[in-house]
Amino acid sequence: MSLTNRILLAMVAGILTGSLFNLILHSGGVPGMAQTLIGEYLVGGLFDVVGRIFVASLKLLVVPLVMVSLICGASSLGDSARMGPIAMKTLGFYLLTTAIAVSLALLFATFIAPGSNVNLSTDLNYQPSVAPPLTDVLVDIFPSNPIRAMADGKMLQIIVFALLLGYAISHAGEQGRRLASFFRDMEAVVMKMVEILMALAPYGVFALLARLFSDMGIGAIMDLAAYFFTVLAVLLLHALGIYSLLLKSFSGLSPRILLTKMRPVWAFAFSTASSGATLPITLRTVEKRMGVHNSVAGFTIPLGATINMDGTAIMQGVATVFIAQVYGIDLSMGAFITVILTATLASVGTAAVPGVGLITLALVLEQAGLPVEGIALIIGVDRLLDMVRTAVNVTGDATVSVIVARSEKQMDEGVFLDPKADQRPDRMEEDVVPTV
Ligand code: ASP
């Protein structure tokens, strides 16, 4: 069986096992021994440990991979004057796709009206955290200490440092070329580490999902079914419809191929609910299986994992309308535009870890003049939606990366079209960084 199928099978098995354990653990008639065995040894013991080790190993690779990949990319592009246009195009697409995402969410939520029949309970309690001022956010993108940036995993700071280093390498003559070749070797080795981890992914994915679903059960969906399925429908429409449309119209490439190649990445995104932890897999897939050259992927994917969160924006759009409906507040046209702007910015500021989209939702609600405590209404199903929206977030990163690479002729179409492609031809590596 192929690795992709094994990972997908592990995903389904994890969900089923977890849901079954949830039933067993919450039904009265099961003997105490069985409860202890399942609850403490399997769920709280084995699954928990394997899942946490799996996520830790994924995170372990993020900083080294982003560093070397961006340095290689920037050093190969540094003297071609394409860095600026690539950065502008990428940012433009990321913002555009997010604005489309939240607009779709508002449109659907307004028509479906998921909040119109919900009774408002009075004991809502949600304390929003205070957002830092915009000036601090901007200054914080520039690192004063690269080692601290790496130690803290500050992705934007790492991106700035790696771009600068890569650019300098490309302008440093002979010494620069030597260093570039070192980083290319390093990249191949770190990619190998990602490959090793992917081979173990079925166990990690199974453990994470089995643990999560035995704790959660899927009963929570029923209470908030209208909200849950509205978010889900818009997420699917955006991932399958809008991205396909954009890919086809801007690059002429087949969306079906892109979506098929994204399947294992979805399993990682779904089970970890973190675009950050999924980053190594997204990057590897986009480079090795879709043929995007690392001069583009090395920049677009880490940046996308950090600032491009269309799925999160969709949840925030639907949630805003839902909360307004529950509270019986009519949203004006001005409020809709505010939501589009703030949700786009909030998703930029959402960290690529589980559950943060719900925190930045407070910002959107405040701007739209809605009660922030309304967040308490949707917390119950947020983890499940987080898994799906993270899969959408990473699909957006990959789609934009392919569109930008294609338009910059930094892509090997043969690799994209080849269903079995897993290895970028050596020839492409040689074109870019001159050998010493
Ligand atoms: N979990 C999401 C991600 O990492 C962020 C969020 O929406 O909470 O992409």
Side-chain angles (χ1 to χ4, degrees), residues 63-73 162 183 186-187 190 294:
V63 173
L65 188 61
V66 170
M67 274 302 288
V68 292
S69 194
L70 254 178
I71 292 171
C72 290
F183 279 118
M186 210 38 210
E187 203 217 355
V190 182
N294 101 330

Side-chain angles (χ1 to χ4, degrees), residues 107-182:
L107 194 76
F108 272 73
T110 306
F111 281 111
I112 298 175
S116 54
N117 289 323
V118 176
N119 288 327
L120 186 58
S121 60
T122 42
D123 57 349
L124 291 182
N125 196 2
Y126 183 82
Q127 286 299 326
S129 45
V130 193
L134 188 65
T135 45
D136 287 4
V137 175
L138 274 178
V139 173
D140 202 41
I141 296 176
F142 297 89
S144 59
N145 179 338
I147 306 294
R148 184 173 316 133
M150 285 185 249
D152 294 346
K154 293 216 162 166
M155 205 47 72
L156 291 179
Q157 295 195 352
I158 296 173
I159 291 175
V160 168
F161 178 67
L163 281 179
L164 188 63
L165 185 58
Y167 183 81
I169 285 176
S170 69
H171 286 79
E174 182 56 29
Q175 283 97 333
R177 273 193 286 281
R178 275 204 301 271
L179 207 54
S181 121
F182 164 79

Side-chain angles (χ1 to χ4, degrees), residues 89-381:
K89 243 187 245 181
T90 308
L91 273 174
F93 269 110
Y94 280 156
L95 292 177
L96 175 78
T97 49
T98 311
I100 296 178
V102 59
S103 309
L104 266 187
L106 292 175
L107 194 76
F108 272 73
T110 306
F111 281 111
I112 298 175
S116 54
N117 289 323
V118 176
N119 288 327
L120 186 58
S121 60
T122 42
D123 57 349
L124 291 182
N125 196 2
Y126 183 82
Q127 286 299 326
S129 45
V130 193
L134 188 65
T135 45
D136 287 4
V137 175
L138 274 178
V139 173
D140 202 41
I141 296 176
F142 297 89
S144 59
N145 179 338
I147 306 294
R148 184 173 316 133
M150 285 185 249
D152 294 346
K154 293 216 162 166
M155 205 47 72
L156 291 179
Q157 295 195 352
I158 296 173
I159 291 175
V160 168
F161 178 67
L163 281 179
L164 188 63
L165 185 58
Y167 183 81
I169 285 176
S170 69
H171 286 79
E174 182 56 29
Q175 283 97 333
R177 273 193 286 281
R178 275 204 301 271
L179 207 54
S181 121
F182 164 79
F183 279 118
R184 276 200 307 135
D185 290 352
M186 210 38 210
E187 203 217 355
V189 174
V190 182
M191 277 291 183
K192 200 36 123 195
M193 289 168 81
V194 179
E195 227 170 275
I196 295 169
L197 194 65
M198 278 189 85
L200 298 173
Y203 306 101
V205 167
F206 173 83
L208 278 176
L209 291 174
R211 155 99 230 204
L212 190 77
F213 278 80
S214 29
D215 281 350
M216 193 169 55
I218 33 184
I221 298 178
M222 289 311 141
D223 305 333
L224 280 165
Y227 166 75
F228 182 87
F229 288 109
T230 308
V231 180
L232 198 64
V234 186
L235 285 173
L236 291 178
L237 177 70
H238 193 72
L240 306 179
I242 302 293
Y243 290 147
S244 301
L245 207 68
L246 289 174
L247 184 71
K248 194 82 202 153
S249 31
F250 284 99
S251 71
L253 294 168
S254 154
R256 202 176 45 81
I257 297 182
L258 183 134
L259 294 173
T260 311
K261 292 190 174 188
M262 279 306 283
R263 282 183 310 163
V265 188
W266 288 336
F268 279 80
F270 189 75
S271 55
T272 60
S274 162
S275 347
T278 311
L279 204 160
I281 315 302
T282 321
L283 189 55
R284 187 180 182 283
T285 305
V286 167
E287 282 191 21
K288 306 266 183 197
R289 304 213 58 215
M290 299 185 192
V292 174
H293 193 271
N294 101 330
S295 55
V296 170
F299 172 70
T300 50
I301 297 298
L303 185 73
T306 318
I307 70 162
N308 182 47
M309 310 237 171
D310 298 353
T312 304
I314 288 172
M315 176 280 283
Q316 294 181 337
V318 176
T320 309
V321 176
F322 175 77
I323 290 170
Q325 287 164 351
V326 174
Y327 280 87
I329 300 169
D330 274 335
L331 288 171
S332 63
M333 202 55 209
F336 276 118
I337 293 171
T338 311
V339 174
I340 295 177
L341 288 177
T342 41
T344 305
L345 291 180
S347 85
V348 170
T350 303
V353 290
V356 182
L358 206 63
I359 297 172
T360 46
L361 173 62
L363 201 95
V364 182
L365 293 175
E366 251 164 38
Q367 295 301 317
L370 293 169
V372 173
E373 313 79 75
I375 292 179
L377 287 169
I378 53 172
I379 282 181
V381 287

